[in-house]
Amino acid sequence: MFIWEGVSEFVAVAETESFTAAAKRLGISTAQVSRQVSALEARLSTKLFYRTTRKVSATEAGQTYYQHCRQVLDGLEEAERVMTNLQLIPKGKLRLTAPITFGEKVIAPMVNNFVLRYPELEIQLNLTNQKLDLVAGGYDLAVRLGKLEDSSMMAKRLSSRTLYVCASQEYLSTYGVPHSLSELEQHNCLQGNLDYWRFQERGRPHNIRIKGNIMCDSGWALLDAAVKGIGIVQLPDYYVQPSLASGKLISLLERYQEADDGIWAIYPHNRHLSPKVRMLLDYLSEHFQPTDKHSL
């Protein structure tokens, strides 16, 4: 008879390379994970991990054992997915993460509407600008903006965002309208996390160093400064579209506007998507219309 004890803990440690991260994923103590893995090694009379103060890595035997255990777990997960499909109603926990401002403005309202449709779901939405480890944190899904760097993740493009350079009519009447990138040197450019702005010139990306009398890591604060005529700002559409639509801000240097960034949903490549995650992905894709960014 197969003894199941320790297998889930072993797989979690093998995938996260950390007893602490495995414990967090499983919702148990690190000590319990360590005990179960040690008991499993004793039962198999095999060392499964190399342990150092900095890293945990699977031995050759551990890697072989992991491949077999992963297949068993995938089979069990597939059985649960079949049962979930039979029920047709998504339920249970969904853990996802998104950037703070974009999450508050766009993602959270969509997720809330999704919960209204499927009230048996329990959503854990972590809004942070840190790029969290989805596997170690036990996340089902993450929304990321811009260029993707982590090739170990599966990605689905949901939509796109546009960067705008803009200023108030008051500022432009006083200091003039820049018509070329070189003219930005003569203007008060409100600075965020980076000391350069992104453009496209002759079909190629082109970054311009900028300077101004305000530096702030809040897009809303920079938007407020621009609306009040303090300087020129470069911000994504979900910050500036209402002010552009109302005439409080004027779009500038549009012929140098960089190609749109991607808005992505990513998830671990070694996981089969459960129906509830797939349904959320489909819902987000459906409700991210090309015109959404112009109506924020």
Side-chain angles (χ1 to χ4, degrees), residues 91-122:
K91 60 181 65 176
K93 288 185 179 181
L94 262 178
R95 299 195 73 211
L96 60 153
T97 180
I100 295 173
T101 300
F102 190 74
E104 291 174 337
K105 185 74 174 177
V106 180
I107 299 301
M110 287 189 185
V111 172
N112 291 340
N113 289 335
F114 187 68
V115 172
L116 283 175
R117 182 179 292 187
Y118 303 110
E120 294 186 55
L121 284 170
E122 180 183 339

Side-chain angles (χ1 to χ4, degrees), residues 199-226:
F199 295 97
Q200 184 169 281
E201 191 171 22
R202 297 177 182 176
R204 295 182 178 181
H206 187 60
N207 296 335
I208 294 292
R209 297 284 178 182
I210 51 96
K211 59 182 179 179
N213 65 351
I214 290 182
M215 298 173 61
C216 183
D217 61 0
S218 167
W220 297 119
L222 296 177
L223 173 64
D224 181 72

Side-chain angles (χ1 to χ4, degrees), residues 7 15 38 65 112 129 145 156 182 226 267 272:
V7 173
E15 291 180 347
S38 294
Y65 191 61
N112 291 340
N129 292 331
L145 308 177
K156 179 180 178 65
S182 61
Y267 50 93
H272 297 290

Side-chain angles (χ1 to χ4, degrees), residues 166 223 227 237 239-250 296:
C166 44
L223 173 64
V227 169
D237 44 30
Y239 284 103
V240 300
Q241 276 294 342
S243 297
L244 290 172
S246 67
K248 291 181 179 179
L249 292 177
I250 309 297
L296 292 176

Side-chain angles (χ1 to χ4, degrees), residues 249-266:
L249 292 177
I250 309 297
S251 179
L252 307 169
L253 301 170
E254 291 186 347
R255 68 192 181 104
Y256 299 105
Q257 199 169 60
E258 187 184 49
D260 288 357
D261 279 337
I263 299 173
W264 306 88
I266 68 169

Side-chain angles (χ1 to χ4, degrees), residues 40-293:
L40 179 62
E41 289 178 318
R43 190 168 76 243
L44 297 174
S45 300
T46 304
K47 186 177 182 66
L48 298 174
F49 294 110
Y50 297 116
R51 300 167 174 84
T52 69
T53 56
R54 294 186 177 181
K55 187 178 181 181
V56 176
S57 58
T59 63
E60 183 177 356
Q63 292 172 3
T64 301
Y65 191 61
Y66 166 76
Q67 295 299 328
H68 289 282
C69 290
R70 184 69 264 176
Q71 291 177 15
V72 173
L73 288 176
D74 286 343
L76 290 172
E77 290 173 2
E78 180 61 26
E80 289 192 5
R81 280 191 290 275
V82 170
M83 296 307 296
T84 303
N85 278 327
L86 290 174
Q87 295 178 44
L88 296 178
I89 300 176
K91 60 181 65 176
K93 288 185 179 181
L94 262 178
R95 299 195 73 211
L96 60 153
T97 180
I100 295 173
T101 300
F102 190 74
E104 291 174 337
K105 185 74 174 177
V106 180
I107 299 301
M110 287 189 185
V111 172
N112 291 340
N113 289 335
F114 187 68
V115 172
L116 283 175
R117 182 179 292 187
Y118 303 110
E120 294 186 55
L121 284 170
E122 180 183 339
I123 301 293
Q124 294 181 1
L125 175 58
N126 185 357
L127 299 182
T128 175
N129 292 331
Q130 296 180 357
K131 292 187 176 180
L132 302 178
D133 186 323
L134 302 192
V135 174
Y139 288 95
D140 297 295
L141 193 71
V143 175
R144 298 268 169 87
L145 308 177
K147 297 176 177 63
L148 295 180
E149 300 173 358
D150 193 343
S151 60
S152 67
M153 295 288 136
M154 298 295 290
K156 179 180 178 65
R157 189 179 179 114
L158 300 174
S159 187
S160 60
R161 67 169 184 172
T162 304
L163 280 175
Y164 285 92
V165 173
C166 44
S168 70
Q169 185 60 59
E170 178 186 3
Y171 176 89
L172 297 174
S173 297
T174 303
Y175 299 100
V177 178
H179 296 288
S180 67
L181 298 183
S182 61
E183 291 179 57
L184 288 176
E185 293 182 0
Q186 307 165 21
H187 287 272
N188 190 34
C189 299
L190 309 176
Q191 184 177 323
N193 291 321
L194 304 174
D195 64 352
Y196 63 87
W197 286 353
R198 293 158 46 189
F199 295 97
Q200 184 169 281
E201 191 171 22
R202 297 177 182 176
R204 295 182 178 181
H206 187 60
N207 296 335
I208 294 292
R209 297 284 178 182
I210 51 96
K211 59 182 179 179
N213 65 351
I214 290 182
M215 298 173 61
C216 183
D217 61 0
S218 167
W220 297 119
L222 296 177
L223 173 64
D224 181 72
V227 169
K228 291 176 177 175
I230 295 175
I232 303 177
V233 73
Q234 185 181 64
L235 286 170
D237 44 30
Y238 48 88
Y239 284 103
V240 300
Q241 276 294 342
S243 297
L244 290 172
S246 67
K248 291 181 179 179
L249 292 177
I250 309 297
S251 179
L252 307 169
L253 301 170
E254 291 186 347
R255 68 192 181 104
Y256 299 105
Q257 199 169 60
E258 187 184 49
D260 288 357
D261 279 337
I263 299 173
W264 306 88
I266 68 169
Y267 50 93
H269 78 283
N270 62 345
R271 291 186 188 171
H272 297 290
L273 286 180
S274 65
K276 58 189 175 185
V277 177
R278 171 59 63 189
M279 291 175 74
L280 176 59
L281 266 176
D282 292 342
Y283 184 87
L284 293 176
S285 297
E286 176 186 348
H287 289 79
F288 261 115
Q289 300 299 329
T291 55
D292 277 354
K293 63 184 181 183

